[in-house]
Amino acid sequence: MDRNNECRWLEASHWIKIEEDFEELGHWGRPHLSYLTFQSLMEVRRAFTKGTVLLDLPERSLAGIANQVLDQMIYEGQLKPEDREMVLRTLLLQHSHPDASTSLSNVSPARLQRSETKDVTQPLLAEHQQIEMKSFLPDPEQGEPSSTAFKKPLSEKISPDAEATLVLVGCATFLERPTLAFVRLKDAVELDSVLEVPVPVRFLFVVLGPDSPHTSYHEIGRAISTMMSERVFRNDSYLAEGRTDLVKSMETFLDCCIVLPPSDIQSEKLLKTLLPVQKELLRKRYQPMEKKVSPETELLGDLEKELKAHARKKVDDDDDDDPLRRTKIPFGGLVRDIKRRYPKYLSDIKDALNAQCLAAVIFIYFAALSPAITFGGLLDDKTRSMMGVSELLLSTAVQSVMFCLLGAQPLLVLGFSGPLLVFEEAFYKFCDDNGFEYIVGRVWIGYWLIILVVIIVACEGSFLVRYISRYTQEIFSFLISLIFIVETFVKLIKIFQEHPVKQEYINITAINSKGEPAAPQPNTALLSLVLMAGTFFIAFFLRKFKNSSFLPGKLRRVIGDFGVPIAIFIMAMADFFIEDTYTQKLKVPKGLEVSNPNQRGWFIHPLGFQNSFPILMMFAAALPALLVFILIFLESQITTLIVSKPERKLVKGSGFHLDLLLIVGMGGVAAMFGMPWLSATTVRTVTHVNALTVMSKTTVPGEKAHVQEVKEQRITGLLVGILVGLSILMEPVLKLIPLAVLFGIFLYMGVTSLNGVQLYDRILLMLKPPKYHPDEAFVRKVKTWRMHMFTLTQIACLVVLWGVKSSPASLALPFLLILTVPLRRFALPIFFTDTELKCLDCDDADVTFDETEGQDVYDEVQMPV
């Protein structure tokens, strides 16, 4: 109420799917789920039963609507004729919208009284608690309050074709009972100065009633608004032909409501048990049983059948475009990949002209460089410098550039991975034990890789990736994580054995032929432990920090995304300033030199360097080539499947056959130059796609942001490859990195790869009482002992694989791994039901875009880093 005793309507809440309230402190609160009182719902139902209902009203102004409503209310006996003018004047009061200058502390709630009181000092709307119809006193120094600052954010939340519902509630002391007027306009119209944003109004509710300590008209208004924000009731309101339909829709709404009786809830976890009940009620409400249609709606039924037939035809067309569908023609899948992807080559260049792509290049460069340096150092250690950092950096650069120029899915990030490192170690050990030249054996593996991939692509063998379920992926990931973790501590123990902690050290200045200390060094083992643990904890906690609630989101994510480079830099600097303690450093040759120029050059002679390579081994190399192919096939094809999920909305398509041919073929050629073969890396690829994903800005409060588009182009991967290649020139910097720091990154990769692995979660559940088990489908729908039996089968596979890995037959590890596919497909269904297998072995990982606290891309993928 202003100085002239004039009242206004003040907006107290609005709904854009969920509720936002104007708080007492003078600002809009956070969007939240509406909670309704049982009394308010009963009042609304009673008002619907006896209130005024006007359908398809042709009026186009608030004054015309108000006159029609009051005439009908008088006709039905809801309002006395002598009160018509007063109520009309109230309905036509000016509408105001709160902003930063408004506070409920200077707003006076009010109630409507008869005009016979003749008390000019008494406001037309006297004070009352919790009502929608409110008045406020504007600050005379600021003039009329303005909500301009709020219009833009609010308008961004509303879809262009939206229609509004206006709910006006207030207290009228001269009424005997609450009354409701429901109006549905024939056409949605924009009412001048009524809503904060120019949205056409389709529905209008007016709720008036007597002053009662047991009735809150504010809660009644909230109940009506919440009902109209619910899609089924709103649709029923559009289609209602009379009061009966509205009452019936109200009753079905009440049938799906849950009433919490007054009780002392000891734990919030008890409330979570209501979620399955609520989901079941929603399922029944949104998927009602088929009902017999009337003759008038048979035409609509026929139309619906036609639409379904059209949808089926569209699905068939989509199947034709399925990149994994077999054509039964030699190289048919490869030809289809080329025809599908290459016509979009020009757009792959144009779409890169975006600032977001430049930011992605910087981010992915560090994401690709850190593992390349880490794996390069470990590869150098395991192969005695036959391959190292320079070979891995050059291989990553060349293959990444070639793949981005020719690949069907250029968003894939090629790199070295843990499974390939395990194979290289096993193959080197095999060659060393049997007197074969390791680097020459890799050349023949490369030849066989090219032959194998040509055969597989000709037969369209990529379709086999459909049969690799989560069961196999999680065994694979868990095994590699275990190898990473154990290997880290084995390396650390080796350092403690070479440089034990003791009271006295002798001849600490002696140097051997390799330029390394010939005697144990003081504090080396302890400093290595500190460097390894420090690197791990910095990288690990920066990853956790990324999804915490500290600092603004963008700054927090930048720090988290560069967690691994930051950890390497900090611990390398710490080692650099501790000059009096020796630590083993990363071996990096100068420029384009190979890691071990005394043993090999850049071109590897296929017949051998020092001795002739056995002819029998030239043909026997087909077996390890098959094992390498299995590893590359598993990781690359599953990575392509992950980024091709419909939720990611990639529109240019993928090419499983073409990409597999390029990745494996380039790996075969790389072996001729003594460089590592690569595969598509899952985590780095998903991170790359996320960095190029544009999320919608016009989102409804409380809803998840959805993908607007993905910048599908070739330039980011191309530039990343070039930058990784130029990193070879960073030899003066790279040689300062201690190996203990890389061991910390190795441990970090092992631990983080366990995230999102359901097998790891189920192993932990074996150690917990059932009452502490989470509310997951594989827990709720599968008996606990059956779940543990399924977990034990995977543990048994892990034990067998670990035994093979630790034996002289370690090269057979990929072959035994692939045997878990027929085990899952043919053996497990004998002991487990289909329902149990669907719960325990389903791909239910959510696609992660905007990471929330405690979740990131590691939770989405089950493949190793």
Side-chain angles (χ1 to χ4, degrees), residues 347-550:
S347 69
D348 289 340
I349 308 297
K350 293 180 179 179
D351 291 347
L353 302 177
N354 187 279
Q356 186 170 354
C357 295
L358 178 61
V361 168
I362 299 172
F363 169 48
I364 300 301
Y365 164 66
F366 285 101
L369 181 64
S370 301
I373 295 173
T374 302
F375 284 120
L378 297 171
L379 195 59
D380 181 277
D381 179 66
K382 293 181 181 298
T383 63
R384 297 179 188 175
S385 299
M386 295 305 293
M387 286 193 302
V389 176
S390 60
E391 288 85 0
L392 184 52
L393 287 176
L394 188 60
S395 179
T396 303
V398 174
Q399 294 191 49
S400 295
V401 169
M402 293 298 297
F403 183 79
C404 287
L405 291 175
L406 302 175
Q409 182 50 273
L411 298 184
L412 297 181
V413 177
L414 302 191
F416 202 70
S417 62
L420 295 177
L421 179 65
V422 172
F423 174 84
E424 295 288 1
E425 180 185 13
F427 185 66
Y428 180 84
K429 185 178 180 182
F430 170 80
C431 292
D432 190 53
D433 292 343
N434 292 279
F436 304 132
E437 288 187 278
Y438 159 74
I439 203 70
V440 178
R442 292 184 79 258
V443 174
W444 288 98
I445 291 178
Y447 291 153
W448 282 107
L449 275 177
I450 296 174
I451 295 173
L452 281 173
V453 74
V454 170
I455 295 174
I456 294 296
V457 171
C459 300
E460 302 178 302
S462 292
F463 80 96
L464 294 172
V465 73
R466 295 187 188 275
Y467 300 104
I468 302 174
S469 68
R470 186 170 186 165
Y471 185 84
T472 299
Q473 295 177 34
E474 293 195 331
I475 292 175
F476 188 27
S477 181
F478 197 95
L479 175 67
I480 299 302
S481 296
L482 199 60
I483 292 173
F484 279 13
I485 296 170
V486 172
E487 189 72 20
T488 299
F489 290 101
V490 169
K491 293 293 183 183
L492 188 63
I493 291 172
K494 184 179 178 181
I495 294 176
F496 270 86
Q497 291 174 343
E498 294 177 351
H499 304 278
V501 178
K502 53 185 181 180
Q503 292 182 349
E504 294 185 6
Y505 293 87
I506 303 174
N507 197 22
I508 62 175
T509 59
I511 304 296
N512 60 20
S513 59
K514 296 181 180 180
E516 299 176 352
Q521 297 294 303
N523 299 322
T524 295
L526 294 176
L527 180 57
S528 298
L529 173 61
V530 171
L531 293 175
M532 185 210 72
T535 305
F536 168 75
F537 283 112
I538 290 174
F540 184 80
F541 285 112
L542 284 180
R543 173 175 166 263
K544 293 290 186 182
F545 175 79
K546 174 184 178 180
N547 300 317
S548 68
S549 55
F550 297 100

Side-chain angles (χ1 to χ4, degrees), residues 65-119:
I65 297 171
N67 278 292
Q68 292 276 15
V69 168
L70 295 179
D71 289 344
Q72 187 67 22
M73 292 178 72
I74 293 173
Y75 176 77
E76 295 179 358
Q78 304 287 341
L79 186 68
K80 295 180 179 181
E82 57 268 23
D83 296 324
R84 184 185 190 283
E85 182 180 353
M86 183 189 308
V87 178
L88 176 62
R89 187 156 55 93
T90 303
L91 293 178
L92 298 181
L93 287 174
Q94 182 178 352
H95 291 252
S96 297
H97 310 285
D99 59 8
S101 64
T102 309
S103 174
L104 293 187
S105 60
N106 59 21
V107 172
S108 302
R111 66 172 181 263
L112 184 62
Q113 295 181 336
R114 287 188 186 276
S115 57
E116 287 83 357
T117 56
K118 303 295 183 182
D119 186 358

Side-chain angles (χ1 to χ4, degrees), residues 419 422-423 425-426 470-483 486 627 630-631 634 759 791-823 864:
V422 172
F423 174 84
E425 180 185 13
R470 186 170 186 165
Y471 185 84
T472 299
Q473 295 177 34
E474 293 195 331
I475 292 175
F476 188 27
S477 181
F478 197 95
L479 175 67
I480 299 302
S481 296
L482 199 60
I483 292 173
V486 172
L627 303 179
I630 290 173
L631 292 177
L634 277 174
L759 170 60
T791 306
L792 288 174
T793 64
Q794 291 181 291
I795 294 176
C797 293
L798 279 171
V799 171
V800 173
L801 290 171
W802 185 269
V804 171
K805 183 260 176 191
S806 305
S807 70
S810 57
L811 276 177
L813 181 66
F815 179 72
L816 288 179
L817 175 67
I818 209 67
L819 290 181
T820 59
V821 175
L823 171 67

